[in-house]
Amino acid sequence: MDSQVSSTRNTSIAEPQRNDKPSHECGIFGIFASDTDVARLTFFGLYALQHRGQESAGIAVADGRRIRVHKDMGLVAQVFNEDKLRPLNGHIAIGHTRYSTTGSSRIENAQPFMVESALGPLAVGHNGNLANATVLRQELLRRGVGLMSTSDSEVIVQMLAGGEGQTWEEKLKIFMVRAQGAYCLTVLTRQALYTVRDPWGLHPICLGRLGDNGWIVASESCALSTIGADFIREVEPGEILAITEEGPVTIAKMPAPKTAHCLFEYIYFARPDSMLNNRSLHSIRVAQGRELASESPTDADIVIPVPDSAIPAAIGYAQKSGIPYSEGLIKNRYIGRTFIQPDDRLRKVGIALKFNPLSDNLYGKRVVLVDDSIVRGNTSGPIVQLLRDSGASEVHVRVSSPPIRHPCFLGVDMATYPELIAHRMSVAEICDHLSADSLAYLSLDGLIRAAGQHETGFCRGCFTGNYPVNIELVEKSVFER
Ligand code: AMP
């Protein structure tokens, strides 16, 4: 046996469901380092990327002769322990953490995916969503390739394993010509670690250095700091990077019509201690809050964030408006996306499972409540009510992103059209729905000013419905309005 997969679940193959969301979120990590416990470092790298996906985790390790994989459903710390890491010996590893959006948790969608091929074993981790996955999937099935899952990531693995090309480099280039949409890939072979970023640069991936002879790639730079590696640079849009004993080498740069960095990474998704386009996300989000205060001022006594994701924007709003920053809600930091569903009684308590109010800070105050985004609109209304119940005299909601009116087809688990509150309602109607005293969103121009890279192209699909790639090939059911 050249390769080995360990996993503890029974699997079945399910048809894509009508309510399947168009996208999924992931964190990916890769390391090439001799004389290093690469599986352990990958574990800690994934731990730092846990916010990018909480439903499954996996690590694949190559030792020059074979590849071993362990993956399962659950958080990184639930999937791995010393016993699971110990057999994962080698000097090259990739890791993956995934939030599946297909309703139920399915082990067959967990990554890395591993297959045997004529060139030897191959394991792949993918972050993003291919817009033309359905077409590519049909092509594979017509060629007689069997597929185990509903995931576009498996389509990528099979295209690489069985597609044209005599070398991995050729196969990767051919894949990039065919693929439309969002893909950051870590590709593990017996001898090398390849990293690929789609030509639009939709989602982030960066290169770091560990000591004298170790190289890391990770979805976000926060994973580099966590394991003591130094940030070197972002992997460029369209770049294929090969990492071997000789270090990293750019083996191709596929041309892009234009770059289209995902704005939602800037707003919510990536961690504030990560760097995007050479700037800290924390400072970009503070700038969003400052823009929001300039565009939509209000008279109030305190500015509070919806913790944790809106903290930097609330700081910015307070700085620019001169209204004191305060805390009004304390979040249970351990709640995450738990597998244990609340019972009916707890469901009625709803938002209280996640946040407790600080009544002393709120009583009799006119409050500006800053949130980073409103997606379905299920969270903000109960929070406004919680603040009122705690004695706030007025609640003015300020959102540090524009209204999200369209789904994401390119790698963020957003929602479908019927679920998106800003698709169904005007800003005034949403304000009524939330029972807020006022509601204002950051403008798209304000957001792009805060992101600060006028020369850089952004994907604005979720705000405008104009996507950088042709999404007509996406599964039709998700278009239903
Ligand atoms: P809701 O409007 O009820 O869907 O909740 C929106 C809140 O969830 C935002 O304030 C974000 O903090 C958070 N959020 C936004 N997008 C996502 C996402 N893709 N996955 C998980 N949480 C999200």
Side-chain angles (χ1 to χ4, degrees), residues 297-377:
T298 185
D299 283 335
D301 302 309
I302 54 171
V303 177
I304 67 164
V306 178
D308 295 322
S309 48
I311 290 173
I315 291 171
Y317 194 99
Q319 284 173 354
K320 187 72 185 176
S321 64
I323 303 169
Y325 174 86
S326 186
E327 285 190 285
L329 297 162
I330 298 297
K331 183 179 180 184
N332 179 338
R333 302 217 154 98
Y334 299 94
I335 200 145
R337 284 182 188 175
T338 165
F339 287 120
I340 301 174
Q341 295 299 319
D343 66 17
D344 277 350
R345 190 181 57 82
L346 283 175
R347 202 166 287 142
K348 289 198 185 94
V349 184
I351 208 76
L353 284 179
K354 213 169 171 184
F355 300 109
N356 277 341
L358 290 173
S359 307
D360 286 357
N361 288 2
L362 297 165
Y363 194 79
K365 301 274 172 52
R366 296 169 301 164
V367 175
V368 179
L369 173 72
V370 178
D371 204 352
D372 56 87
S373 55
I374 297 178
V375 182
R376 293 172 188 78

Coordinates of all heavy atoms in Angstrom, one line a residue, residues 297-377:
P297 N -23.7 59.6 11.2 CA -23.5 60.0 12.6 C -24.8 59.9 13.3 O -25.9 59.9 12.7 CB -23.0 61.5 12.5 CG -23.5 61.9 11.2 CD -23.6 60.8 10.3
T298 N -24.8 59.9 14.7 CA -26.0 60.0 15.5 C -25.6 60.5 16.9 O -24.5 60.4 17.3 CB -26.7 58.6 15.6 OG1 -27.9 58.7 16.2 CG2 -25.8 57.6 16.3
D299 N -26.6 61.1 17.5 CA -26.4 61.5 18.9 C -26.6 60.3 19.8 O -27.6 59.6 19.7 CB -27.4 62.6 19.3 CG -27.1 63.9 18.8 OD1 -25.9 64.1 18.5 OD2 -28.0 64.7 18.6
A300 N -25.6 60.0 20.7 CA -25.7 58.9 21.6 C -24.7 59.0 22.7 O -23.9 59.9 22.7 CB -25.4 57.6 20.8
D301 N -24.9 58.2 23.7 CA -24.0 58.2 24.9 C -22.8 57.2 24.8 O -21.8 57.5 25.4 CB -24.8 57.9 26.2 CG -26.0 58.9 26.3 OD1 -25.8 60.1 26.2 OD2 -27.1 58.4 26.4
I302 N -23.1 56.1 24.3 CA -22.0 55.1 24.2 C -22.1 54.3 22.8 O -23.1 54.3 22.2 CB -22.0 54.0 25.3 CG1 -23.4 53.3 25.4 CG2 -21.6 54.6 26.6 CD1 -23.5 52.1 26.3
V303 N -20.9 53.8 22.4 CA -20.8 53.0 21.2 C -20.4 51.6 21.7 O -19.4 51.5 22.4 CB -19.7 53.4 20.2 CG1 -19.6 52.5 19.0 CG2 -20.0 54.9 19.7
I304 N -21.2 50.6 21.4 CA -20.8 49.2 21.8 C -20.8 48.3 20.5 O -21.5 48.5 19.6 CB -21.8 48.6 22.8 CG1 -23.2 48.4 22.3 CG2 -21.8 49.5 24.1 CD1 -24.0 47.5 23.1
P305 N -19.9 47.3 20.6 CA -19.9 46.3 19.4 C -20.7 45.1 19.7 O -21.1 44.8 20.9 CB -18.4 45.9 19.5 CG -18.0 45.9 20.9 CD -18.8 47.0 21.5
V306 N -21.1 44.4 18.7 CA -21.6 43.0 18.8 C -20.3 42.2 18.8 O -19.6 42.2 17.8 CB -22.5 42.6 17.7 CG1 -22.9 41.1 17.9 CG2 -23.7 43.4 17.6
P307 N -19.9 41.7 20.0 CA -18.6 41.0 20.1 C -18.7 39.7 19.3 O -19.7 39.1 19.2 CB -18.4 40.8 21.6 CG -19.8 40.8 22.2 CD -20.7 41.6 21.3
D308 N -17.5 39.1 18.9 CA -16.2 39.8 18.9 C -16.0 40.5 17.6 O -15.1 41.4 17.5 CB -15.1 38.7 19.1 CG -15.2 38.1 20.4 OD1 -15.5 38.7 21.4 OD2 -15.0 36.8 20.5
S309 N -16.7 40.0 16.5 CA -16.3 40.4 15.2 C -16.4 41.9 14.9 O -15.7 42.4 14.0 CB -17.1 39.6 14.2 OG -18.4 39.6 14.5
A310 N -17.3 42.6 15.6 CA -17.5 44.1 15.3 C -16.7 45.0 16.2 O -16.8 46.2 16.2 CB -19.0 44.4 15.4
I311 N -15.8 44.4 17.1 CA -15.1 45.3 18.0 C -14.2 46.3 17.3 O -14.3 47.5 17.6 CB -14.2 44.4 19.0 CG1 -15.1 43.6 19.9 CG2 -13.2 45.2 19.7 CD1 -14.4 42.6 20.8
P312 N -13.4 45.9 16.3 CA -12.6 47.0 15.6 C -13.4 48.1 15.0 O -13.1 49.3 15.1 CB -11.8 46.2 14.6 CG -11.9 44.8 14.9 CD -13.1 44.6 15.7
A313 N -14.6 47.7 14.4 CA -15.4 48.7 13.7 C -16.0 49.7 14.7 O -16.1 50.9 14.5 CB -16.5 48.1 12.9
A314 N -16.4 49.1 15.9 CA -17.0 50.0 17.0 C -15.9 50.9 17.5 O -16.2 52.1 17.8 CB -17.5 49.1 18.1
I315 N -14.7 50.4 17.6 CA -13.6 51.3 18.1 C -13.4 52.5 17.1 O -13.3 53.6 17.5 CB -12.2 50.5 18.2 CG1 -12.3 49.5 19.4 CG2 -11.1 51.5 18.3 CD1 -11.2 48.5 19.4
G316 N -13.5 52.2 15.8 CA -13.4 53.2 14.8 C -14.5 54.2 14.8 O -14.3 55.4 14.7
Y317 N -15.7 53.7 15.0 CA -16.9 54.5 15.1 C -16.8 55.5 16.3 O -17.0 56.7 16.2 CB -18.2 53.7 15.2 CG -19.4 54.5 15.0 CD1 -20.1 54.5 13.7 CD2 -20.0 55.4 15.9 CE1 -21.2 55.2 13.5 CE2 -21.1 56.1 15.7 CZ -21.7 56.0 14.4 OH -22.9 56.8 14.2
A318 N -16.3 54.9 17.4 CA -16.1 55.8 18.6 C -15.0 56.8 18.4 O -15.2 58.0 18.7 CB -15.8 54.9 19.8
Q319 N -13.9 56.4 17.8 CA -12.8 57.4 17.6 C -13.3 58.6 16.7 O -13.1 59.7 17.1 CB -11.7 56.7 16.8 CG -10.8 55.8 17.6 CD -9.8 55.0 16.7 OE1 -9.9 55.1 15.5 NE2 -9.0 54.2 17.4
K320 N -14.0 58.2 15.7 CA -14.4 59.3 14.7 C -15.5 60.2 15.3 O -15.5 61.4 15.1 CB -14.8 58.7 13.4 CG -15.1 59.6 12.3 CD -13.8 60.2 11.7 CE -14.1 61.3 10.7 NZ -12.8 61.9 10.3
S321 N -16.5 59.5 16.0 CA -17.6 60.3 16.5 C -17.4 61.0 17.8 O -18.1 61.9 18.1 CB -18.8 59.3 16.7 OG -18.5 58.4 17.7
G322 N -16.4 60.6 18.5 CA -16.1 61.1 19.8 C -17.0 60.6 20.9 O -16.9 61.0 22.1
I323 N -17.9 59.7 20.6 CA -18.8 59.1 21.6 C -18.0 57.9 22.2 O -17.3 57.1 21.6 CB -20.0 58.5 20.9 CG1 -20.8 59.5 20.1 CG2 -21.0 57.8 21.9 CD1 -21.9 59.0 19.2
P324 N -18.0 57.8 23.6 CA -17.2 56.8 24.3 C -17.5 55.4 23.8 O -18.7 55.0 23.7 CB -17.5 57.0 25.7 CG -18.2 58.4 25.8 CD -18.8 58.7 24.5
Y325 N -16.4 54.6 23.7 CA -16.6 53.2 23.4 C -16.8 52.5 24.7 O -16.2 52.8 25.7 CB -15.3 52.7 22.8 CG -15.2 51.2 22.6 CD1 -15.7 50.6 21.4 CD2 -14.6 50.4 23.6 CE1 -15.6 49.2 21.2 CE2 -14.6 49.0 23.4 CZ -15.1 48.4 22.2 OH -15.0 47.1 22.0
S326 N -17.7 51.5 24.7 CA -18.0 50.8 25.9 C -18.4 49.3 25.6 O -18.5 49.0 24.4 CB -19.2 51.4 26.7 OG -19.3 50.8 27.9
E327 N -18.5 48.5 26.6 CA -19.0 47.1 26.3 C -20.4 47.0 26.9 O -20.7 47.5 28.0 CB -18.1 46.1 27.0 CG -16.7 45.9 26.4 CD -16.0 44.7 27.0 OE1 -15.5 44.9 28.1 OE2 -16.0 43.7 26.3
G328 N -21.2 46.4 26.1 CA -22.6 46.2 26.5 C -23.1 44.8 26.5 O -24.1 44.4 27.1
L329 N -22.3 44.0 25.8 CA -22.6 42.5 25.7 C -21.4 41.7 25.9 O -20.3 42.0 25.4 CB -23.1 42.3 24.2 CG -24.4 43.0 23.8 CD1 -24.4 42.9 22.2 CD2 -25.6 42.3 24.4
I330 N -21.5 40.7 26.7 CA -20.4 39.7 26.9 C -20.8 38.4 26.2 O -21.8 37.9 26.4 CB -20.1 39.5 28.4 CG1 -19.7 40.8 29.0 CG2 -19.1 38.4 28.6 CD1 -18.4 41.4 28.5
K331 N -19.8 38.0 25.3 CA -20.1 36.8 24.5 C -19.5 35.6 25.2 O -18.3 35.7 25.7 CB -19.5 37.0 23.1 CG -19.7 35.8 22.2 CD -19.1 36.1 20.8 CE -19.4 34.9 19.9 NZ -18.8 35.1 18.6
N332 N -20.2 34.5 25.2 CA -19.6 33.2 25.7 C -18.7 32.8 24.5 O -19.1 32.4 23.5 CB -20.7 32.2 25.9 CG -20.1 30.9 26.3 OD1 -18.9 30.6 26.1 ND2 -20.9 30.1 26.9
R333 N -17.4 32.9 24.8 CA -16.4 32.6 23.7 C -16.3 31.2 23.4 O -15.6 30.8 22.5 CB -15.0 33.2 24.2 CG -15.1 34.6 24.5 CD -13.9 35.4 24.1 NE -14.3 36.8 23.8 CZ -14.1 37.8 24.7 NH1 -13.6 37.6 25.8 NH2 -14.5 39.0 24.4
Y334 N -16.9 30.3 24.1 CA -16.7 28.9 23.9 C -17.9 28.2 23.1 O -18.0 27.1 22.9 CB -16.5 28.1 25.2 CG -15.2 28.7 25.8 CD1 -15.3 29.7 26.8 CD2 -14.0 28.3 25.4 CE1 -14.2 30.2 27.3 CE2 -12.8 28.8 25.9 CZ -12.9 29.8 26.9 OH -11.8 30.4 27.4
I335 N -18.9 29.1 22.7 CA -20.1 28.5 22.2 C -19.9 27.9 20.8 O -20.4 26.9 20.5 CB -21.3 29.5 22.3 CG1 -22.6 28.8 22.3 CG2 -21.2 30.6 21.3 CD1 -23.7 29.4 23.1
G336 N -19.2 28.7 20.0 CA -18.9 28.2 18.6 C -20.1 27.7 17.9 O -21.2 28.1 18.1
R337 N -19.8 26.7 17.0 CA -21.0 26.1 16.3 C -21.1 24.7 16.9 O -20.4 23.8 16.5 CB -20.7 26.0 14.8 CG -20.9 27.3 14.1 CD -20.7 27.1 12.7 NE -20.8 28.5 12.1 CZ -20.5 28.7 10.8 NH1 -20.2 27.7 10.0 NH2 -20.6 29.9 10.4
T338 N -21.9 24.6 17.9 CA -21.9 23.3 18.7 C -22.7 22.3 18.0 O -23.7 22.6 17.3 CB -22.4 23.6 20.1 OG1 -22.7 22.3 20.7 CG2 -23.6 24.5 20.2
F339 N -22.4 21.0 18.2 CA -23.2 19.9 17.7 C -24.5 19.7 18.5 O -25.4 19.0 18.1 CB -22.4 18.6 17.6 CG -21.4 18.7 16.5 CD1 -20.0 18.5 16.8 CD2 -21.7 18.9 15.2 CE1 -19.1 18.6 15.9 CE2 -20.7 18.9 14.2 CZ -19.4 18.8 14.6
I340 N -24.5 20.2 19.7 CA -25.6 19.9 20.6 C -26.7 21.0 20.4 O -26.4 22.2 20.7 CB -25.2 19.8 22.1 CG1 -24.2 18.7 22.2 CG2 -26.4 19.6 23.0 CD1 -23.5 18.6 23.5
Q341 N -27.8 20.6 19.8 CA -28.8 21.6 19.6 C -29.6 22.0 20.9 O -29.8 21.1 21.7 CB -29.9 21.0 18.6 CG -29.3 20.8 17.2 CD -28.8 22.0 16.5 OE1 -29.4 23.1 16.6 NE2 -27.6 22.0 15.9
P342 N -29.9 23.2 21.1 CA -30.7 23.6 22.2 C -32.1 22.9 22.2 O -32.6 22.7 21.1 CB -30.8 25.1 22.2 CG -30.4 25.5 20.8 CD -29.6 24.4 20.2
D343 N -32.6 22.6 23.4 CA -34.0 22.1 23.4 C -35.0 23.3 23.2 O -34.5 24.5 23.1 CB -34.3 21.3 24.6 CG -34.3 22.1 25.9 OD1 -34.4 23.4 25.8 OD2 -34.2 21.5 27.0
D344 N -36.3 23.0 23.1 CA -37.2 24.1 22.8 C -37.2 25.3 23.8 O -37.2 26.4 23.4 CB -38.6 23.6 22.7 CG -38.9 22.9 21.3 OD1 -38.0 23.1 20.5 OD2 -39.9 22.2 21.2
R345 N -37.0 24.9 25.1 CA -37.0 25.9 26.1 C -35.8 26.9 25.9 O -35.9 28.1 25.9 CB -37.0 25.3 27.5 CG -37.2 26.3 28.6 CD -37.2 25.6 29.9 NE -35.9 24.9 30.1 CZ -34.8 25.5 30.5 NH1 -34.8 26.8 30.8 NH2 -33.6 24.8 30.6
L346 N -34.6 26.2 25.6 CA -33.4 27.0 25.5 C -33.5 27.8 24.2 O -32.9 28.9 24.1 CB -32.2 26.1 25.5 CG -31.8 25.6 26.8 CD1 -30.6 24.6 26.7 CD2 -31.3 26.8 27.7
R347 N -34.1 27.3 23.1 CA -34.2 28.0 21.9 C -35.0 29.3 22.1 O -34.6 30.3 21.4 CB -34.9 27.1 20.8 CG -34.6 27.5 19.4 CD -34.9 26.4 18.4 NE -34.0 25.3 18.5 CZ -34.4 24.0 18.4 NH1 -35.6 23.7 18.1 NH2 -33.5 23.0 18.4
K348 N -36.0 29.3 22.9 CA -36.7 30.5 23.2 C -35.8 31.5 23.9 O -36.0 32.7 23.7 CB -37.9 30.2 24.1 CG -39.0 29.4 23.3 CD -40.4 29.5 24.0 CE -41.3 28.6 23.2 NZ -41.4 27.3 23.8
V349 N -34.9 31.1 24.7 CA -33.9 32.0 25.3 C -33.0 32.6 24.2 O -32.6 33.7 24.3 CB -33.1 31.3 26.4 CG1 -32.2 32.3 27.1 CG2 -33.9 30.5 27.4
G350 N -32.8 31.8 23.2 CA -32.2 32.2 21.9 C -30.8 32.9 22.1 O -29.9 32.2 22.6
I351 N -30.8 34.2 21.9 CA -29.6 34.9 21.8 C -28.8 34.9 23.2 O -27.6 35.1 23.2 CB -29.9 36.3 21.3 CG1 -28.7 36.9 20.6 CG2 -30.4 37.3 22.4 CD1 -28.5 36.3 19.3
A352 N -29.6 34.7 24.3 CA -29.0 34.7 25.6 C -28.0 33.6 25.8 O -27.1 33.6 26.7 CB -30.1 34.6 26.7
L353 N -28.1 32.5 25.0 CA -27.1 31.4 25.0 C -25.8 32.0 24.6 O -24.7 31.5 25.1 CB -27.5 30.3 24.1 CG -28.6 29.4 24.4 CD1 -28.8 28.4 23.3 CD2 -28.3 28.7 25.8
K354 N -25.8 33.0 23.8 CA -24.5 33.5 23.2 C -24.1 34.8 23.9 O -22.9 35.0 24.1 CB -24.8 33.8 21.7 CG -23.6 33.6 20.9 CD -24.0 33.7 19.4 CE -22.8 33.7 18.5 NZ -23.2 33.8 17.1
F355 N -25.0 35.7 24.3 CA -24.6 37.0 24.8 C -25.3 37.3 26.1 O -26.5 37.0 26.3 CB -25.0 38.1 23.9 CG -24.4 38.1 22.5 CD1 -25.2 37.7 21.4 CD2 -23.1 38.3 22.3 CE1 -24.6 37.7 20.1 CE2 -22.5 38.3 21.1 CZ -23.3 37.9 20.0
N356 N -24.6 37.9 27.1 CA -25.3 38.4 28.3 C -25.0 39.9 28.3 O -23.9 40.4 28.0 CB -24.7 37.8 29.6 CG -25.3 36.5 29.9 OD1 -26.4 36.2 29.4 ND2 -24.6 35.7 30.7
P357 N -26.1 40.7 28.7 CA -25.9 42.2 28.7 C -25.3 42.7 29.9 O -25.4 42.0 31.0 CB -27.4 42.7 28.6 CG -28.2 41.6 29.3 CD -27.4 40.3 29.0
L358 N -24.6 43.8 29.8 CA -24.0 44.5 31.0 C -24.9 45.6 31.4 O -24.7 46.8 30.9 CB -22.6 45.0 30.7 CG -21.5 43.9 30.5 CD1 -20.2 44.6 30.0 CD2 -21.2 43.2 31.8
S359 N -25.9 45.3 32.2 CA -27.0 46.3 32.4 C -26.4 47.6 33.0 O -26.9 48.7 32.7 CB -28.0 45.7 33.4 OG -28.4 44.5 32.9
D360 N -25.4 47.5 33.9 CA -24.9 48.8 34.5 C -24.4 49.7 33.4 O -24.5 51.0 33.6 CB -23.7 48.4 35.4 CG -24.1 47.8 36.7 OD1 -25.3 47.7 36.9 OD2 -23.2 47.4 37.5
N361 N -23.8 49.2 32.3 CA -23.3 50.1 31.3 C -24.4 50.6 30.4 O -24.2 51.6 29.7 CB -22.3 49.3 30.4 CG -21.0 49.1 31.1 OD1 -20.9 49.4 32.2 ND2 -20.1 48.4 30.4
L362 N -25.6 49.9 30.4 CA -26.6 50.2 29.4 C -27.7 51.1 29.9 O -28.4 51.8 29.2 CB -27.2 48.9 28.8 CG -26.2 48.0 28.1 CD1 -26.8 46.6 27.9 CD2 -25.9 48.6 26.7
Y363 N -27.9 51.0 31.2 CA -29.2 51.6 31.8 C -29.3 53.1 31.5 O -28.4 53.9 31.8 CB -29.2 51.3 33.3 CG -30.6 51.6 33.8 CD1 -31.6 50.7 33.7 CD2 -30.9 52.8 34.4 CE1 -32.9 50.9 34.1 CE2 -32.2 53.1 34.9 CZ -33.2 52.2 34.7 OH -34.5 52.4 35.1
G364 N -30.4 53.5 30.9 CA -30.7 54.9 30.6 C -29.8 55.5 29.5 O -29.9 56.7 29.2
K365 N -29.0 54.6 28.8 CA -28.1 55.2 27.8 C -28.7 55.1 26.3 O -29.4 54.2 26.0 CB -26.8 54.4 27.8 CG -26.1 54.3 29.1 CD -25.2 55.6 29.2 CE -24.5 55.7 30.6 NZ -23.9 54.5 31.1
R366 N -28.3 56.1 25.6 CA -28.6 56.0 24.1 C -27.4 55.3 23.5 O -26.2 55.8 23.6 CB -28.7 57.4 23.5 CG -29.9 58.2 24.1 CD -29.8 59.7 23.7 NE -28.6 60.3 24.1 CZ -28.1 61.4 23.7 NH1 -28.7 62.1 22.8 NH2 -26.9 61.9 24.2
V367 N -27.7 54.2 22.9 CA -26.6 53.2 22.5 C -26.5 53.2 21.0 O -27.5 53.1 20.2 CB -26.9 51.8 23.0 CG1 -25.9 50.8 22.5 CG2 -27.0 51.8 24.5
V368 N -25.2 53.3 20.5 CA -24.9 52.9 19.1 C -24.4 51.5 19.1 O -23.4 51.2 19.7 CB -23.8 53.8 18.4 CG1 -23.5 53.4 17.0 CG2 -24.2 55.3 18.5
L369 N -25.1 50.6 18.5 CA -24.8 49.2 18.4 C -24.1 48.9 17.0 O -24.8 49.1 16.0 CB -26.0 48.3 18.6 CG -25.8 46.8 18.4 CD1 -25.0 46.2 19.6 CD2 -27.1 46.1 18.2
V370 N -22.8 48.6 17.1 CA -22.1 48.4 15.8 C -22.0 46.9 15.5 O -21.6 46.1 16.4 CB -20.7 49.0 15.8 CG1 -20.0 48.7 14.5 CG2 -20.8 50.5 16.0
D371 N -22.5 46.5 14.3 CA -22.3 45.1 13.9 C -21.5 45.1 12.6 O -21.6 46.1 11.8 CB -23.6 44.3 13.8 CG -23.5 42.8 14.0 OD1 -22.3 42.3 14.0 OD2 -24.5 42.1 14.0
D372 N -20.9 44.0 12.3 CA -20.1 43.9 11.0 C -21.0 43.6 9.8 O -20.6 44.0 8.7 CB -19.0 42.9 11.1 CG -19.5 41.5 11.5 OD1 -19.9 40.8 10.6 OD2 -19.6 41.2 12.7
S373 N -22.0 42.9 10.0 CA -22.9 42.5 8.9 C -24.2 42.0 9.4 O -24.4 41.6 10.5 CB -22.2 41.4 8.0 OG -22.0 40.3 8.8
I374 N -25.2 42.2 8.5 CA -26.5 41.5 8.8 C -26.8 40.6 7.6 O -26.7 41.1 6.4 CB -27.7 42.6 8.9 CG1 -27.4 43.5 10.1 CG2 -29.0 41.8 9.1 CD1 -28.5 44.6 10.3
V375 N -26.9 39.3 7.9 CA -27.0 38.4 6.8 C -28.5 37.9 6.7 O -29.3 38.4 5.9 CB -26.1 37.2 7.0 CG1 -26.2 36.2 5.8 CG2 -24.6 37.7 7.1
R376 N -28.9 37.0 7.6 CA -30.3 36.6 7.6 C -31.2 37.6 8.4 O -32.4 37.6 8.3 CB -30.4 35.2 8.2 CG -29.8 34.1 7.3 CD -29.8 32.8 8.1 NE -29.0 31.8 7.4 CZ -27.7 31.8 7.3 NH1 -26.9 32.7 8.0 NH2 -27.0 30.9 6.6
G377 N -30.6 38.3 9.3 CA -31.3 39.2 10.2 C -31.9 38.5 11.4 O -32.8 39.0 12.0

